[in-house]
Amino acid sequence: MRTDTLRYNYPYQANRAAIYRVLVQEQLAYFQRTDPAIKALSPGTTIKAHLATKMSKKPTRDYMMVKEMIPNERFQLETQQPAGSIIQTFEFTKNRRDKDVLAYSERNVFDNNRSQANFMLFGLLYKFFYNRGVRKRMTYLDHLAQTATN
């Protein structure tokens, strides 16, 4: 794994298509909170967001864009921040035991070497909180997908 990328693999229980559908619905709801005119997501759909940075926790004005949508395979977002960008990817794959997993990753690309080095150091500490937060999010999506198909 790259040093600029955080990754978490979640072994899901629901149907793959149901999880993908719920993931897109949840992301659409997030985009609509910022821009109610958005009716559907497609590659290129963009919003202006106010997000806190991981390292300084200061709110910044960012642009979040749907980068890629491959139904039941991959959903990718890119967030442009003043110091660089974050590429978030949800990807359906298999783990070493050939079990289905939904892998979530965040690739952090910074405009300068100092920020990149700071993130790599901070990333080691952040990984624990990252895993905990992503696990909760994935469990939520999995649960929604299971209840939607029942």
Side-chain angles (χ1 to χ4, degrees), residues 31-61:
F31 272 55
Q32 287 175 330
R33 283 193 294 276
T34 302
D35 183 354
I38 296 173
K39 300 299 179 206
L41 295 180
S42 61
T45 303
T46 304
I47 59 168
K48 292 179 185 176
H50 294 281
L51 304 170
T53 62
K54 288 180 184 71
M55 298 197 308
S56 68
K57 301 294 182 194
K58 294 178 184 173
T60 59
R61 186 170 189 98

Side-chain angles (χ1 to χ4, degrees), residues 16-81:
R16 176 190 286 204
I19 291 180
Y20 185 83
R21 190 170 41 256
V22 165
L23 170 63
V24 172
Q25 288 170 348
E26 289 289 305
Q27 199 61 53
L28 174 60
Y30 178 80
F31 272 55
Q32 287 175 330
R33 283 193 294 276
T34 302
D35 183 354
I38 296 173
K39 300 299 179 206
L41 295 180
S42 61
T45 303
T46 304
I47 59 168
K48 292 179 185 176
H50 294 281
L51 304 170
T53 62
K54 288 180 184 71
M55 298 197 308
S56 68
K57 301 294 182 194
K58 294 178 184 173
T60 59
R61 186 170 189 98
D62 307 313
Y63 294 90
M64 183 179 284
M65 177 184 72
V66 176
K67 189 170 180 170
E68 184 177 26
M69 291 177 75
I70 303 172
N72 308 325
E73 289 184 36
R74 180 180 304 139
F75 183 84
Q76 191 173 67
L77 299 161
E78 182 172 5
T79 303
Q80 290 291 328
Q81 297 183 314

Side-chain angles (χ1 to χ4, degrees), residues 94-105:
K94 301 255 185 201
N95 65 11
R96 289 180 227 158
R97 296 184 192 112
D98 205 37
K99 183 163 175 60
D100 290 329
V101 295
L102 178 55
Y104 173 76
S105 64

